[in-house]
């Protein structure tokens, strides 16, 4: 009998190369806390999340300096070479922490997305709790989309009907996601998100409409934007 317990997994073992900072982007300051603290604090404050497993890079020297203050269980595992490897390690870590019969829901959420709204988590849990597979928080594409060649010459306008940007959290059952990722990694298939592994395993995940301020901090300008979004969220509350 599967339970309705929910765990979060946070891949936080990247180097943030596109951010070009002196440290991995999850340790940059965002409104007086690190990006990673903001992200974890938010997940931990959701009443349905039983615990969080965080993948930290093996030689990370920043993790021990951050301060976290909440009741939620927190466990760390070593990250891997790619995001998929880091998530995989966290799934194995989580399996050790939970009863094999439970097969909890897992919300995989990027450390680099600190502006996730608790209402978006509610929306996912509500939409997906009876779903056979699970799903992904995303945003419809609203720009006109072009396909270009190597010389940046426009080849065509891609019809944006049905095109969505996949964000996180991505919510799946522990066992299904572990099997799907294991298979994708064994076959050395490139999976840039968790849903890709689920798709390759032949399952159909659902898209859940999220709020567009759930940005992934990727390039330097994103920090100011994230700060603005957090301020806006505080004013709304
Ligand atoms: N991540 C991870 N392990 C890796 C690579 C990425 O846990 N080996 C995490 C990152 O820390 C981030 C999330 O996966 O929270 C999304 O990845 P991305 O935004 O690409 O972060 P980085 O890989 O750190 O950045 P970049 O691609 O610019 O180097
Ligand atoms: Mg990356």
């Amino acid at each position: 009998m599967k339970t309705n317990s929910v765990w979060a997994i946070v891949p936080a073992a990247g180097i943030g190369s596109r951010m070009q900072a002196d440290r991995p982007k999850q340790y940059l300051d965002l409104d007086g806390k690190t990006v990673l603290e903001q992200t974890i604090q938010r997940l931990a404050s959701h009443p349905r999340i039983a615990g969080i497993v965080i993948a930290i890079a093996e030689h990370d020297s920043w993790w021990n300096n951050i301060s976290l203050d909440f009741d939620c269980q927190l466990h760390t595992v070593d990250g891997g070479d790619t995001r998929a490897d880091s998530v995989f390690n966290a799934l194995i870590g989580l399996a050790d922490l939970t009863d094999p019969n439970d097969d909890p829901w897992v919300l995989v959420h990027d450390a680099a997305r600190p502006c996730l709204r608790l209402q978006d988590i509610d929306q996912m849990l509500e939409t997906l709790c009876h779903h056979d597979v699970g799903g992904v928080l995303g945003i419809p594409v609203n720009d006109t989309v072009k396909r270009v060649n190597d010389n940046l010459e426009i080849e065509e306008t891609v019809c944006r009907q049905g095109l969505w940007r996949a964000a996180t959290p991505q919510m799946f059952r522990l066992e299904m996601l572990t099997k799907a990722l294991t298979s994708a990694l064994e076959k050395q298939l490139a999976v840039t998100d968790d849903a890709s592994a689920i798709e390759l395993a032949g399952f159909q995940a659902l898209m859940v409409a999220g709020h567009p301020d759930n940005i992934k901090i990727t390039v330097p300008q994103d920090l100011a934007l994230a700060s603005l979004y957090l301020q806006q969220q505080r004013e709304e509350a």
Side-chain angles (χ1 to χ4, degrees):
M1 177 65 188
K2 293 175 193 291
T3 67
N4 280 325
S5 67
V6 181
W7 280 73
I9 279 182
V10 177
I15 54 168
S17 54
R18 286 169 286 180
M19 200 71 192
Q20 297 178 310
D22 64 348
R23 65 194 70 186
K25 61 188 179 184
Q26 58 273 28
Y27 294 111
L28 293 173
D29 181 80
L30 172 62
D31 289 2
K33 290 181 187 159
T34 63
V35 169
L36 183 55
E37 285 168 287
Q38 296 278 14
T39 303
I40 297 173
Q41 209 88 45
R42 203 154 268 222
L43 290 169
S45 68
H46 194 283
R48 286 288 314 279
I49 294 181
I52 307 174
V53 181
I54 307 174
I56 300 290
E58 215 181 326
H59 301 294
D60 181 316
S61 56
W62 290 276
W63 168 251
N64 285 327
N65 297 328
I66 73 172
S67 65
L68 295 162
D69 180 23
F70 47 71
D71 291 333
C72 191
Q73 287 188 59
L74 200 64
H75 303 269
T76 58
V77 296
D78 282 342
D81 290 344
T82 64
R83 181 188 183 279
D85 294 307
S86 295
V87 171
F88 178 77
N89 291 354
L91 290 168
I92 298 302
L94 178 54
D96 283 343
L97 294 165
T98 51
D99 185 322
N101 297 316
D102 280 1
D103 197 19
W105 284 110
V106 180
L107 289 172
V108 184
H109 184 61
D110 290 332
R113 292 186 190 270
C115 304
L116 171 66
R117 290 169 181 249
L118 296 185
Q119 302 101 289
D120 275 356
I121 300 180
D122 291 338
Q123 183 69 37
M124 286 197 95
L125 295 177
E126 204 175 301
T127 311
L128 299 172
C129 64
H130 299 300
H131 197 268
D132 288 339
V133 177
V136 171
L137 200 65
I139 305 102
V141 171
N142 50 23
D143 294 307
T144 298
V145 179
K146 307 283 188 193
R147 188 183 312 282
V148 299
N149 62 22
D150 292 345
N151 302 320
L152 296 187
E153 292 155 341
I154 295 172
E155 301 274 357
E156 61 166 337
T157 300
V158 181
C159 173
R160 69 172 180 232
Q161 171 91 35
L163 286 188
W164 285 62
R165 291 186 290 129
T168 69
Q170 303 210 348
M171 173 173 159
F172 299 103
R173 289 280 183 188
L174 174 59
E175 188 183 334
M176 184 186 284
L177 184 55
T178 307
K179 283 185 178 162
L181 259 186
T182 304
S183 160
L185 290 170
E186 272 171 12
K187 293 179 193 156
Q188 298 188 318
L189 298 169
V191 281
T192 53
D193 72 348
D194 314 291
S196 316
I198 294 287
E199 292 152 33
L200 288 165
F203 297 109
Q204 191 155 48
L206 204 63
M207 185 61 80
V208 179
H211 200 280
D213 61 9
N214 180 22
I215 58 166
K216 187 174 73 164
I217 293 179
T218 307
V219 293
Q221 308 85 287
D222 292 335
L223 266 182
L225 191 59
S227 174
L228 198 71
Y229 282 145
L230 290 184
Q231 187 192 330
Q232 208 172 59
Q233 291 177 5
R234 280 194 298 272
E235 283 166 9
E236 279 175 25

